[in-house]
Amino acid sequence: MSQPLRIVPDEPFPEVGTAFHTALSADGRWLAVVGYLGGAFSRSRTVDLPRGARPAPRVLVYQRADLSYHRTVAVPGESVDTLAFHPTLPLLAVGTDEGDEYARHGTLLLADVVTGRQARVVRADAGVAALRWRDADTLDVLLTETDHDSASEGLIHYTESAVPRPPSGDWLTLAPEPEETSEPPPDAPEPEPAPLAVRQPAAQHWAARLPEVDVPARHAELRELATAGGRDWRARRAVWAVAALRDGRVLAAREDSLLECWSPEGRRMWTVPPPAESFQYVGLQLQVTPDERTARVTVATGTSDNRRSTVLAVSLADGSVRTEHHLRYPALLASRTDGVWAARDTCELFPAPPSWSPSATLLFAPDGTPLGAVPLGHYDPRTELTVRRAPDLYALVVRDRPAPPGTETGAARADAVGGSYAYAAEQARLARQETWLARVTVGEPNAPGAVESLFPLGPRTTVRGGPAVYVNDTAGPALILATADSGTPHLTRRSLPHGEPTWSLPTDSAITGVDLHANTLHAATATGDLLTLSPTTGTLHTRHPLTSPGGHPFTPLTLTTTPAGDVVIGTLEGRLLVRG
């Protein structure tokens, strides 16, 4: 794989995701954007990101002349509420405001966008809601505080503070707020006032002009900047599923687009928008029929407490759509290489019902004809599984190990002790649960299929969304799947049908995508690396960082290989990464 990484589409600002705030430096040289990527979880896929399933917004800095990525300004916390460039220096002020009406905290961050140097002031009792440079020597800061007066407890009020240029003349020597310590010695010199210690009630017009989170306006700004540079840009959300066709086209299912088709050269051929009746989730699953004439995608419909799925069939010739099945439950799809597919009930309901028995998993022929159903039982993140290139249908099922001899039933003891034992018995039962790999076989037409439990994954092993790929080589048939053993991510080969582990490779973060081409295994990690391995021995051959030209690490969500051997990766940033 000697070719450089190719980003599809070839547009500026591929790191942004959703833009919350923007700021342009006074000299027009620098553009700062607060970008947000959204979450990396659903009931059909869960990606364990290194810093949690919902990345914090980032402050991205671009060079205005060519819109190239320059750097990311590291900001603590979960929100970025305001940006302001210094009137003459390449100095960016950033404010964060977090907490609720009972406790606020925030940060004032100053960053030299050229060198990356930073100064940070943290306030444990106030958030930074807005910033404005009064002049080259004074930064005005609007703070949000909690009013602890008993008459108005729980209300937010605003104060303002003027931060002067430090005596050194260098803004980046701004002293941090001092921590609370014991009383200083009597002969100690008078300390310098903390940057945000002197406050006064905020002027009414100042508090009324808080920065607005106007996403459409921010996106319009970025489009205008791209257009001025002779390029195109549009906001894109996470790519959850990808598929490569034999003719070189690539399909991508995005969170904000049902399906899109890309030419081998990276040109958008057509896009299918989500239907009007979709509810919350689209673009999470994708199946292609063996003849490559049709792709299946799912759309969530209904309401949060009565969620359902619609399976849509998309013509790969022109993107036309027809409804294939209405399912009375939210579904996780699985398929095998001959095109037979299944739809499993994930019970994604809120609030969850007091008791719930999942619907039987429906089985279908490649053309959508019903083939019966099988009971797969309980579903939760432990049982998420997506297997590529498998000649059989595989699923994860939960089984209870037998209780130790002599254990009384929860019902009998609950009557005696008022229910407390019932809770303990239920917790003990949950502790005895094991996750097993099962193979699903199809019965006669309109007859029930069968579920064959093959092997347990282990008491401390979880899968959480797969992914996995089927392989049949000199070592025999096997599944290579992503697991977490006692919290440590692994990529593991398990022989079929009995599950003997052939090899297991620890990784620094969760595996988000895995696929096979020829005798090479490709896997993407949540930290943004592309691994190539031997599928037979697990020997790691290469590790490639998945970064933009400026060095920004992308966040992979899914991966596939093309018939020509290229690797296509869908990212949380909404882009496709292609490596040849």
Side-chain angles (χ1 to χ4, degrees), residues 379-423:
Y379 181 90
D380 66 21
R382 294 172 296 174
T383 55
E384 298 169 9
L385 181 66
T386 304
V387 183
R388 292 188 181 273
R389 307 186 188 280
D392 294 297
L393 289 172
Y394 292 99
L396 294 175
V397 296
V398 174
R399 293 178 52 178
D400 292 342
R401 297 194 303 274
T407 302
E408 298 180 65
T409 65
R413 287 292 301 274
D415 291 339
V417 296
S420 61
Y421 182 81
Y423 175 79

Side-chain angles (χ1 to χ4, degrees), residues 544-571:
H544 298 277
L546 298 172
T547 58
S548 68
H552 170 80
F554 284 103
T555 306
L557 293 179
T558 184
L559 176 152
T560 192
T561 59
T562 71
D566 292 346
V567 181
V568 180
I569 301 156
T571 69

